[in-house]
Amino acid sequence: MGAVAWLAALLLVLALQAGDPAGAAARGDTFSALTSVARALAPERRLLGLLRRYLRGEEARLRDLTRFYDKVLSLHEDSATPVSNPLLAFTLIKRLQSDWRNVVHSLEASENIRALKDGYERVEQDLPAFEDVEGAARALMRLQDVYMLNVKGLARGVFQTVSGSAVTELYSPTRLFSLTADDCFQVGKVAYDMGDYYHAIPWLEEAVSLFRGSYGEWNTEDEASLEDALDHLAFAYFQAGNVSCALSLSREFLLYSPENKRMARNVLKYEKLLAESPNQAVMETVIQRPNVPHLQTRDTYEGLCQTLGSQPTHYQIPSLYCSYETNSSPYLLLQPIRKEVIHLEPYVVLYHDFVSDSEAQKIKGLAAPWLQRSVVASGEKQLPVEYRISKSAWLKDTADPVLPTLDHRIAALTGLDVQPPYAEYLQVVNYGIGGHYEPHFDHATSPSSPLYRMKSGNRVATFMIYLSSVEAGGATAFIYANFSVPVVKNAALFWWNLHRSGKGDGDTLHAGCPVLVGDKWVANKWIHEYGQEFRRPCSSSPED
């Protein structure tokens, strides 16, 4: 393979795969935590160094080739040069027999590309699988859906919600980062391959538009072309029932590639279909967004996420209030925690500045090496699922002195026993690209749940600490209670999962909205029923 072709192949791989040095075990999961994505910069920096050395070697070789070209060209441009001159005749024969062969089969070219290839192969094991490209593409589609983002805006680097003629800016980046035609094609193709034409069509349309604008130019790193985008978009429209658009795009394809017999057959097929059903040419096909079977509360969930945090304030509802909380604990007497009551039923409070910046950083640092793809309970098994995109790690209290300190603070605030087996170890979670956790309960809703393996009852309460801030998105939405809480750095959210009777509180159905922009970290402390009998006495009334 020639140097240019191999370099094209290399840059294609780099465009599709950003590395994660956590090792081959993490391949396919890089997209599920932003800390993994951030680590991808390290192998790419190594590759950039290799590419720089390759370019310098090639620049020197090209200077030499230019010298050779200029020398030979000058001989051809000098019409007075007599071929009858035996010296010139000899050099011509030598050039054609030897010099040109050495130029074409240059050892320097082979050595330059070999060094680049060897360097790439050394870091290849640190690069994620194509599943990460698919996961990242699905994340963009998720953000597009939940936040009603406009694809054309996304392609320009703008996060806008468009409803009719109204345009709302959800986030204004300080630096615009636009997508290329090939980027848009890759997102559309992921949807296309899943048979999801609702998402495939707008992304492929944007790819076609961008490819048209730059037709005739060639980017080494691109995998696709205008013909590829037209081909996929035409078939996507056909599958969606819009034969007229499929025909128009197929005819455009043939303008660029008239010898393509498959597309010519498609054109004949579409023309025949429209001739048999003339009304189909003027019908406007409305493509329905694919439904998510397990998410029956989707509209409410997405509406709450779009507000980016919508909890009422104590000024609007008099029964809500803010205070300095000590919970009659000597531990908090000199340094009470700022408490904000967010909601009464279910009872949800936000403790501001619950941890310090240094404590949050320490907890994230302790968890980072142990992060693994988050799972959910499915019967007696625990499996990674598409509706929970994050990585998590469990930290034992013995891992660092900051963790027992955290437990004492939680116990003082809540009055509950947070030591195992009456509570679980601290779970630290880092959300990935568009990371989210769709509506769920923290407490077990089935007797076969793995939560009961601790033999300490169900999860009576959740204490969730925000270890970072985000630029946009990532709110915690309580679906049935109809409010959401934005990410507040260093604050902690607390709520009861069970009524005093021990029955699960259905109003605690909640979700982690997709992170639109930012790196979201949380730490969860789940407290169980047993051990709390005298701290939160149960009730005989199912209403309590």
Side-chain angles (χ1 to χ4, degrees), residues 321 323-328 332 335-339 347 351 412-413:
Y321 61 92
S323 64
Y324 283 98
E325 181 65 63
T326 65
N327 198 28
S328 303
L332 299 173
Q335 193 173 4
I337 302 289
R338 289 190 298 143
K339 172 183 176 180
Y347 181 73
Y351 296 110
L413 264 179

Side-chain angles (χ1 to χ4, degrees), residues 33-250:
L34 270 217
T35 187
S36 300
V37 177
R39 286 200 300 266
L41 293 171
E44 187 170 50
R45 275 194 291 267
R46 295 200 293 273
L47 288 171
L48 279 174
L50 292 167
L51 187 57
R52 181 179 57 198
R53 287 195 289 274
Y54 170 79
L55 289 172
R56 286 175 177 172
E58 286 295 285
E59 285 168 356
R61 189 174 72 87
L62 288 173
R63 283 195 298 270
D64 189 52
L65 288 175
T66 302
R67 175 201 53 77
F68 175 78
Y69 171 83
D70 291 340
K71 182 184 78 170
V72 177
L73 181 64
S74 67
L75 293 172
H76 280 263
E77 289 178 341
D78 186 357
S79 58
T81 302
V83 180
S84 58
N85 184 322
L87 297 177
L88 290 173
F90 170 76
T91 58
L92 171 61
I93 293 170
K94 175 182 174 291
R95 279 201 314 274
L96 294 174
Q97 195 282 325
S98 173
D99 293 4
W100 278 100
R101 184 177 67 246
N102 291 337
V103 166
V104 172
H105 301 286
S106 167
L107 287 177
E108 288 81 3
S110 300
E111 289 168 0
N112 287 345
I113 201 66
R114 183 71 254 175
L116 182 59
K117 187 173 182 180
D118 287 345
Y120 172 77
E121 288 173 351
R122 283 195 295 272
V123 302
E124 189 174 13
Q125 65 178 356
D126 295 336
L127 303 178
F130 185 70
E131 286 80 6
D132 286 301
V133 180
E134 294 178 321
R138 288 195 298 269
L140 290 181
M141 296 176 223
R142 184 183 313 122
L143 295 175
Q144 172 192 344
D145 288 343
V146 173
Y147 295 107
M148 299 176 63
L149 296 177
N150 177 263
V151 171
K152 283 191 174 295
L154 281 175
R156 299 194 312 272
V158 177
F159 297 82
Q160 291 177 334
T161 295
V162 178
S163 179
S165 59
V167 177
T168 305
E169 199 95 358
L170 287 184
Y171 171 72
S172 299
T174 53
R175 177 187 172 192
L176 287 181
F177 182 83
S178 57
L179 299 178
T180 66
D182 192 65
D183 293 334
C184 295
F185 175 80
Q186 293 298 334
V187 178
K189 189 174 182 300
V190 168
Y192 177 95
D193 290 341
M194 295 189 301
D196 176 5
Y197 304 112
Y198 174 88
H199 291 104
I201 287 174
W203 284 102
L204 290 173
E205 279 184 334
E206 190 61 22
V208 165
S209 176
L210 292 171
F211 273 128
R212 282 174 180 153
S214 61
Y215 191 75
E217 299 175 10
W218 171 250
N219 293 327
T220 307
E221 68 272 20
D222 285 355
E223 178 182 17
S225 63
L226 175 57
E227 290 91 329
D228 294 321
L230 287 169
D231 189 1
H232 285 77
L233 182 57
F235 190 73
Y237 266 122
F238 171 69
Q239 289 293 94
N242 194 330
V243 181
S244 182
C245 274
L247 175 60
S248 175
L249 292 163
S250 299

